[in-house]
Amino acid sequence: MEPLLGFEDEVMNVGEDKEMSSSSSSSNGYKLVPWLSWDEWDFVRESLFSSSSDKVASALRRISTWRSRGCLPVVIDVTASIIEIQQKDPYYRSRDNEYQAANVLDSDQLLAMLYCMAIMRLVNCVVEKTRRKTEASIAEAANAIGIPRKLIDVRHEGSHRDLPALQVVRDCSDKALDWLQAYYWEPQKNQIPLQRDGAADIRREIKSKLQELAFCLKMKQNPQLGPSLMKGKRSNKKWTKCLKNLVKLYSTLSSEIVSVLLEFLLNAFDDSSNLEFPNDSHVVKNVQTSLDDWKPVITKFSNKEPELLLSLLKAVLHMIENEEAKKYETGGQSLTSTEYGMGTYRMEHLSYLFAWLVGLLEGLKSLRRTNSSAERNISNSFMVELLRKCLLLSATGNKLLVDSSLHLAQLVGNLSITEKLRKLSLICLSHLDGSEENSSLSRCEDMQEDIPKAAKKLEFVKRYKMKRKVVMTADGDVGNRNRWVLAKSWNSCPIGMLPHDLGSSGRLPILDCDDRKQSGPQPVEKNEIMELNQYGGKREASCDIQLLDNSSIKKMKETVEVCQLNTDGISLFDDSIGHLMIGGVWKKVSEQELETIKSRVRILI
Amino acid sequence: MAAYMPQTENPSPAIYIPREWSDAADSIAYDSNTSPPPIAFICGAKNCGKTTFSRHLVNVLLQRYKKVAYLDTDVGQPEFTAPGFLSLTVVDTLTPDLTIPCLKTPKRCYFFGDVSSKRDPTAYLKYITTLYDYYRKEYYMFNESESPGRTELPLIVNTPGWVKGIGYDILVDMLKYITPTHVVKINISFEKKNLPAGAFWLDNFEGVDVNLIEISSARQDSFNRSVLVQKDARLLRDLRIMAYFRQCFPSDLNITIIKELAQALAAYPPYQVPISSIKIRHLYCQVPRSEIFYSLNATIVGLAISSDASENLPHCVGLGIVRGIDTLKGLLYVITPVPPGILEKVDLFLQGFIQIPTCLLQVQGCMSPYMSANVLPTS
């Protein structure tokens, strides 16, 4: 472990790199801050100036955490100090009836000292950054940035003469807070980009960009449609520029782009379904043409951002899932016939879209043979996940989905799975042909025969997972003794964030920690739990053993009995691993029992 | 800064060892008995050449002794470790190029958590005295009968460039405790910036046998004024931290520029460790219990072993970057070059004020959320 400081010699022009020499900023205007997001900063700002002392206390706690990170701007530090002193001052606290005697300081002398110190720090520190040492005195520089004269006087008096009277410094503290609001808090708030209502603006922007790109590409394909002025080269430049903008946006707003694109694609169906639809092939052709408009867009985009297609596929599966869930939730019979019809058509559209996207993916894969192995691994594991989900959904006998899953399996390249699926789809096909009648009786029969099929699929999935579990327990035995383990799969993501399944943009972590009860993590899991209930075996896309235990336990907690954990101290997850609440008592459950319970829940549906 | 001719030299000027310096180094190495070996203490103003002299001294001593012990008390620009550490290292190889320091694994080190001893002088002294005691026990003054075969090592103590105020008091306390055999005081031409003349740390009645060697800084201009090398301390610290974390990756991986290091740090799989098995402590602030992850995410921590503590000071094995916290899975993701065998014993994270260099947080397309645009400039 004795490398030389190679950077000093080989590094790219350390001396010329101006960004290195300045303290915590860089040439492109980024600065190190102690907060995770502007939402956090805004929350602190609101709470700090609110009239509820609880909110103020929570804001002060957060600011003291920021202090521990070491890059807190001094204006925030000073604001927090003044407000903290005011919270201890009976003059300000006598207004609300909480905390009568406990938290206030009685000594006038002490309070005056505290206020005075805070004001001195305000004048000195805030001014310090704005002046050059030799040019002006502190008083002059303070005047220059608009600090009220009274504060400057108090600072002078407090450091050279008697301590000013308490009422004087109290008054000054109010003035100081007003000034700080006007000097820092308000202007900074106005400078934060992307406010909450900005989300609509983003969508509009993305929509317009995508439409522009589609238009440009269409022009490129059919030059005779557009005006003759648009020559070949210029149109090339236009759409490449368009594409570049979109790719830049994609790195930060990937989920937005995916959802907007999905909207456009689904609109293609709606447009064509507004025509009469007795003739199926007619519909299909119309849909095909409108989808074809988007084909070049997606292919060109995917060439730059390969994960776009995968994200789209995931989103479509998600929507199919929701449709299924809706159907089962409300019960097939209670829907009116039109709603039911709509639901079915929507399902068909979605399945068709899925098949079309898989077709695109195949086309893309055949072009690109030069993936790096890491990339291929990541996208392969993701596709296996997609395949699994697709299989689960196609249990309802959706022919298109079954076909798509076959294609996906081929893409993944697993021959055994492909073979099995081919056989399965044959069974499925022969079966579906017989069940076009709308009698409820035959539907029941279908269901009865669907169940063993579903059971076979379940068996297959279980076996697959068992295989992986065996592999993992093999090194998990050694692993159990190691607390420090290298993360098994890792997607690149910024420092401070957690990785996404796809892409390198990462997601913001949830850092709240409730050390009294485990109520903290639960609200986030509730969404997971709700969906779990509706569709039995759905789980997060990770096959980590620990997560397996945790998520199924969370599911169980909701379905069997809801009970709060009463843990004292800071241990977050120790107690829950390996235990299930059965009949009101926490019992230790083994893996096998867990599996049986899970499969029982699934077949009920 | 002292009154010198301000030089904007490149980071690696040619090293010039004046005759005075080599004489001083030779006298320390050869004019004393082999046993007990010399303990040399080097002090002087900022940027006067203490580190360069100490490197030269290491080389000279290695010609006579097989190994040399180095007690590094400059917490802002340590010699063999990343910033923020106080360490005792044993050196056995010559430093070929006196300009480029290299990273070594110390025999024992403590995480001080800041780049200046002013943050907590009492703790600072405690760490240093503990390290010195460790040196005495392991490498100095053995009874031949009790511990055969253990060799004694000479000690070099490097110091930060304090000449007045709290720093001066700390220096005096250190000298009184360590009682070196040789004190090398490097003076510069600007008198006000020098340490007091003579054996300034001794009270008058102490007649301890000590060799005080006063030498001048290496370069002088035509007016006999000292020419000191301007150093951007912050830049050097950042570079050192980056060199430290460069060790996380295999040496054949082609990382030669900072951007590549930043990208590698963002992409490389980190270690994951359960939150429940780690204690987290901030050395200087009281972080509220419920906010502990907000304070820990995306920071540099000292990795320490709490069970190994001597006098309640946990031993530190290295630095780590906590690059992510997953509260749902209960995992901490840490990037660190410490080897897994030693890492397994780590169960304590010490938080301080050592910052991650901001250039490592800025990766094209992978910008850390803590690097924010739209920050109001307040200067």
Side-chain angles (χ1 to χ4, degrees):
Chain A
M1 231 179 37
E2 298 190 350
L4 291 182
L5 262 190
F7 288 117
E8 274 187 319
D9 287 335
E10 298 147 327
V11 77
M12 36 140 210
N13 326 317
V14 167
E16 296 161 24
D17 231 23
K18 288 297 181 292
E19 35 207 74
M20 289 287 303
S21 50
S22 51
S23 55
S24 54
S25 62
S26 88
S27 55
N28 31 352
Y30 282 92
K31 209 161 179 282
L32 186 66
V33 293
W35 45 86
L36 195 54
S37 63
W38 283 110
D39 285 338
E40 193 182 329
W41 180 91
D42 209 32
F43 160 75
V44 166
R45 186 190 63 84
E46 269 184 57
S47 314
L48 204 55
F49 292 110
S50 80
S51 44
S52 141
S53 61
D54 276 341
K55 279 185 117 181
V56 172
S58 77
L60 288 175
R61 268 201 300 274
R62 181 59 57 83
I63 293 184
S64 70
T65 316
W66 287 350
R67 257 189 218 116
S68 76
R69 294 184 69 98
C71 46
L72 184 67
V74 72
V75 273
I76 301 187
D77 191 13
V78 164
T79 315
S81 312
I82 298 182
I83 293 187
E84 201 173 345
I85 303 171
Q86 285 191 343
Q87 290 289 302
K88 294 251 187 302
D89 191 349
Y91 178 78
Y92 291 100
R93 295 303 294 276
S94 59
R95 304 211 197 118
D96 36 86
N97 294 326
E98 315 152 20
Y99 298 121
Q100 292 295 1
N103 270 347
V104 297
L105 277 178
D106 282 326
S107 159
D108 278 2
Q109 174 74 359
L110 267 183
L111 280 172
M113 287 257 266
L114 286 172
Y115 278 122
C116 207
M117 183 70 194
I119 293 171
M120 282 206 289
R121 273 185 63 77
L122 187 153
V123 177
N124 287 344
C125 298
V126 174
V127 164
E128 201 62 32
K129 306 231 170 179
T130 64
R131 68 165 195 145
R132 293 168 191 262
K133 288 205 167 92
T134 48
E135 269 181 21
S137 73
I138 292 200
E140 288 168 19
N143 231 350
I145 59 175
I147 298 187
R149 185 72 217 179
K150 213 165 172 195
L151 297 181
I152 305 176
D153 289 342
V154 159
R155 172 198 157 255
H156 191 266
E157 271 211 45
S159 37
H160 300 297
R161 296 201 235 296
D162 287 337
L163 206 61
L166 179 56
Q167 198 46 49
V168 172
V169 288
R170 260 195 200 131
D171 196 37
C172 277
S173 74
D174 284 328
K175 278 213 177 60
L177 284 178
D178 290 335
W179 180 81
L180 280 165
Q181 287 244 27
Y183 179 73
Y184 173 72
W185 291 97
E186 289 301 316
Q188 175 70 82
K189 175 161 168 51
N190 293 336
Q191 207 167 332
I192 306 177
L194 301 183
Q195 304 273 4
R196 242 143 287 199
D197 40 334
D201 290 335
I202 306 175
R203 280 188 85 91
R204 244 179 287 142
E205 198 187 326
I206 297 180
K207 262 194 195 160
S208 65
K209 285 211 159 60
L210 280 172
Q211 275 166 336
E212 208 184 312
L213 185 62
F215 185 69
C216 289
L217 285 172
K218 199 170 182 177
M219 285 301 114
K220 183 169 173 264
Q221 310 279 12
N222 314 330
Q224 66 269 21
L225 285 182
S228 53
L229 294 165
M230 193 115 51
K231 303 279 178 161
K233 220 178 187 179
R234 222 180 298 162
S235 66
N236 260 353
K237 245 194 270 182
K238 193 149 190 243
W239 71 256
T240 40
K241 195 167 135 220
C242 240
L243 187 60
K244 216 160 78 171
N245 282 339
L246 274 171
V247 170
K248 218 170 24 171
L249 277 180
Y250 185 80
S251 61
T252 45
L253 298 169
S254 51
S255 50
E256 300 288 340
I257 294 190
V258 166
S259 72
V260 169
L261 204 47
L262 208 54
E263 222 180 282
F264 278 135
L265 291 171
L266 287 171
N267 281 343
F269 286 101
D270 291 338
D271 289 341
S272 55
S273 68
N274 280 337
L275 317 165
E276 329 88 64
F277 38 65
N279 195 346
D280 272 338
S281 61
H282 206 70
V283 175
V284 167
K285 231 196 312 175
N286 276 333
V287 164
Q288 190 77 329
T289 43
S290 24
L291 280 185
D292 275 344
D293 282 347
W294 289 102
K295 187 162 168 192
V297 175
I298 297 185
T299 31
K300 289 238 175 333
F301 209 148
S302 300
N303 279 333
K304 297 274 178 173
E305 283 289 348
E307 285 137 358
L308 176 72
L309 260 181
L310 294 174
S311 313
L312 274 173
L313 285 167
K314 185 171 176 190
V316 173
L317 273 182
H318 192 73
M319 291 182 81
I320 297 182
E321 228 165 356
N322 286 343
E323 284 294 329
E324 286 286 339
K326 251 193 276 178
K327 229 196 313 186
Y328 286 118
E329 194 184 78
T330 56
Q333 292 82 17
S334 57
L335 285 176
T336 64
S337 60
T338 44
E339 277 177 12
Y340 192 68
M342 284 256 284
T344 343
Y345 277 125
R346 202 161 166 76
M347 276 290 270
E348 283 180 14
H349 294 168
L350 286 171
S351 324
Y352 186 81
L353 183 60
F354 190 79
W356 184 76
L357 284 173
V358 172
L360 278 188
L361 187 63
E362 278 183 314
L364 213 61
K365 279 282 176 184
S366 60
L367 289 176
R368 294 184 301 126
R369 279 278 155 224
T370 53
N371 285 354
S372 69
S373 62
E375 234 181 78
R376 218 183 297 137
N377 280 341
I378 292 174
S379 50
N380 246 13
S381 61
F382 193 76
M383 286 209 289
V384 166
E385 248 331 288
L386 274 180
L387 178 58
R388 188 183 73 98
K389 246 190 190 169
C390 193
L391 280 175
L392 281 172
L393 287 169
S394 59
T396 55
N398 194 326
K399 174 176 180 292
L400 283 169
L401 281 185
V402 171
D403 283 340
S404 317
S405 54
L406 187 56
H407 288 297
L408 269 180
Q410 281 170 338
L411 278 175
V412 169
N414 191 332
L415 291 172
S416 59
I417 298 184
T418 321
E419 270 315 303
K420 288 199 185 92
L421 280 177
R422 200 166 285 151
K423 289 191 198 142
L424 209 53
S425 66
L426 285 176
I427 303 175
C428 217
L429 261 177
S430 60
H431 201 80
L432 280 173
D433 285 339
S435 65
E436 291 295 0
E437 309 91 61
N438 288 337
S439 65
S440 52
L441 209 67
S442 64
R443 224 174 264 281
C444 268
E445 280 175 25
D446 295 345
M447 292 238 220
Q448 284 199 352
E449 301 189 41
D450 276 342
I451 288 183
K453 248 197 294 166
K456 226 196 320 181
K457 279 197 198 125
L458 171 63
E459 211 44 60
F460 155 64
V461 172
K462 251 204 271 183
R463 253 184 297 129
Y464 179 59
K465 252 209 297 86
M466 267 301 161
K467 218 181 353 167
R468 293 182 70 150
K469 231 184 276 181
V470 165
V471 167
M472 294 215 290
T473 42
D475 50 19
D477 278 337
V478 180
N480 276 338
R481 272 185 261 134
N482 291 352
R483 292 170 303 131
W484 290 78
V485 177
L486 209 60
K488 286 195 185 65
S489 61
W490 186 260
N491 242 347
S492 165
C493 75
I495 292 186
M497 288 194 170
L498 294 173
H500 254 312
D501 300 327
L502 281 182
S504 63
S505 49
R507 54 191 162 95
L508 285 177
I510 304 158
L511 295 176
D512 291 308
C513 143
D514 203 357
D515 55 351
R516 284 168 290 120
K517 292 188 195 165
Q518 266 201 6
S519 45
Q522 274 176 9
V524 184
E525 295 160 21
K526 276 217 169 37
N527 293 337
E528 256 180 79
I529 294 169
M530 288 308 161
E531 297 178 88
L532 281 172
N533 278 344
Q534 287 163 6
Y535 214 75
K538 183 170 101 116
R539 228 182 305 109
E540 270 306 313
S542 154
C543 286
D544 200 314
I545 281 188
Q546 227 171 348
L547 192 58
L548 207 83
D549 285 346
N550 272 343
S551 57
S552 50
I553 286 166
K554 290 167 204 158
K555 171 180 84 161
M556 284 303 152
K557 265 204 238 170
E558 195 70 10
T559 51
V560 180
E561 196 161 291
V562 176
C563 166
Q564 285 238 315
L565 263 186
N566 289 325
T567 45
D568 301 324
I570 326 288
S571 67
L572 290 172
F573 288 101
D574 294 332
D575 296 347
S576 59
I577 294 182
H579 287 80
L580 268 189
M581 171 69 67
I582 299 181
V585 180
W586 284 102
K587 292 200 188 131
K588 202 158 173 58
V589 184
S590 73
E591 275 292 326
Q592 268 304 98
E593 296 173 49
L594 215 55
E595 287 289 334
T596 47
I597 295 176
K598 268 194 281 193
S599 33
R600 251 186 276 144
V601 173
R602 245 179 250 175
I603 293 184
L604 267 175
I605 292 178
Chain B
M1 283 284 175
Y4 46 77
M5 199 94 92
Q7 290 265 345
T8 47
E9 291 191 335
N10 51 10
S12 47
I15 296 291
Y16 162 56
I17 305 283
R19 184 61 190 275
E20 201 182 23
W21 282 26
S22 46
D23 284 346
D26 288 339
S27 80
I28 298 175
Y30 295 108
D31 292 350
S32 54
N33 306 329
T34 321
S35 168
I39 298 180
F41 191 99
I42 306 170
C43 49
K46 260 199 255 237
N47 284 350
C48 64
K50 296 186 295 298
T51 309
T52 315
F53 179 78
S54 68
R55 285 177 199 158
H56 174 70
L57 183 57
V58 167
N59 285 348
V60 168
L61 279 171
L62 277 175
Q63 290 161 15
R64 188 175 178 196
Y65 298 86
K66 266 205 285 231
K67 298 189 198 174
V68 177
Y70 194 99
L71 176 59
D72 204 335
T73 65
D74 188 349
V75 85
Q77 280 176 43
E79 183 64 18
F80 299 115
T81 59
F85 283 114
L86 295 164
S87 60
L88 181 78
T89 318
V90 171
V91 186
D92 53 7
T93 48
L94 287 173
T95 316
D97 186 350
L98 290 180
T99 53
I100 306 181
C102 51
L103 293 168
K104 292 193 204 295
T105 315
K107 288 283 178 238
R108 176 160 294 185
C109 72
Y110 295 109
F111 184 59
F112 183 68
D114 201 355
V115 295
S116 160
S117 56
K118 278 187 184 160
R119 180 65 69 168
D120 188 352
T122 322
Y124 180 78
L125 273 173
K126 186 118 197 282
Y127 290 127
I128 291 178
T129 51
T130 316
L131 282 172
Y132 181 69
D133 290 342
Y134 176 75
Y135 162 77
R136 287 297 284 234
K137 197 170 83 131
E138 298 286 318
Y139 301 111
Y140 193 76
M141 291 276 243
F142 302 126
N143 220 335
E144 265 309 312
S145 53
E146 280 177 7
S147 37
R150 287 223 278 191
T151 47
E152 299 171 327
L153 302 181
L155 179 70
I156 302 180
V157 183
N158 192 17
T159 57
W162 295 119
V163 297
K164 23 166 93 71
I166 301 181
Y168 175 78
D169 292 334
I170 297 177
L171 194 69
V172 167
D173 287 337
M174 272 166 54
L175 278 164
K176 284 193 179 151
Y177 191 87
I178 295 181
T179 57
T181 56
H182 295 81
V183 173
V184 179
K185 196 151 74 81
I186 305 184
N187 295 321
I188 57 175
S189 54
F190 189 42
E191 269 307 315
K192 283 214 185 117
K193 288 282 180 170
N194 281 329
L195 288 166
F200 55 88
W201 66 98
L202 293 177
D203 303 329
N204 286 332
F205 53 82
E206 284 178 29
V208 179
D209 178 29
V210 65
N211 277 322
L212 178 62
I213 307 174
E214 304 209 20
I215 54 181
S216 318
S217 63
R219 291 176 195 264
Q220 294 184 333
D221 60 8
S222 47
F223 294 106
N224 274 345
R225 287 183 297 195
S226 297
V227 168
L228 303 179
V229 178
Q230 268 267 43
K231 280 192 270 189
D232 185 345
R234 179 181 280 270
L235 174 62
L236 285 179
R237 277 199 293 273
D238 282 353
L239 281 176
R240 217 173 268 254
I241 293 178
M242 288 191 273
Y244 181 81
F245 283 104
R246 166 72 182 77
Q247 295 171 100
C248 295
F249 310 107
S251 48
D252 51 352
L253 204 62
N254 188 27
I255 298 179
T256 46
I257 59 174
I258 297 176
K259 258 199 206 133
E260 288 176 359
L261 178 64
Q263 275 165 349
L265 281 178
Y268 218 66
Y271 285 99
Q272 63 187 44
V273 60
I275 299 180
S276 48
S277 62
I278 300 283
K279 291 183 275 250
I280 303 167
R281 180 153 55 112
H282 198 292
L283 290 170
Y284 302 110
C285 292
Q286 287 173 309
V287 180
R289 266 271 165 235
S290 53
E291 306 269 329
I292 197 148
F293 298 137
Y294 284 99
S295 154
L296 187 63
N297 193 25
T299 53
I300 289 187
V301 290
L303 306 171
I305 303 175
S306 59
S307 51
D308 247 1
S310 56
E311 295 192 36
N312 220 17
L313 299 173
H315 298 167
C316 190
V317 298
L319 286 182
I321 297 180
V322 177
R323 65 105 74 234
I325 303 179
D326 196 337
T327 44
L328 293 179
K329 293 192 198 171
L331 291 173
L332 293 170
Y333 296 109
V334 183
I335 304 174
T336 174
V338 177
I342 305 178
L343 206 52
E344 194 48 36
K345 297 191 261 178
V346 170
D347 60 349
L348 175 62
F349 283 5
L350 295 170
Q351 291 175 281
F353 289 116
I354 306 290
Q355 305 273 359
I356 301 184
T358 52
C359 46
L360 292 183
L361 295 173
Q362 293 177 292
V363 183
Q364 200 50 272
C366 233
M367 186 76 70
S368 172
Y370 292 101
M371 291 301 290
S372 197
N374 315 107
V375 180
L376 209 63
T378 45
S379 54

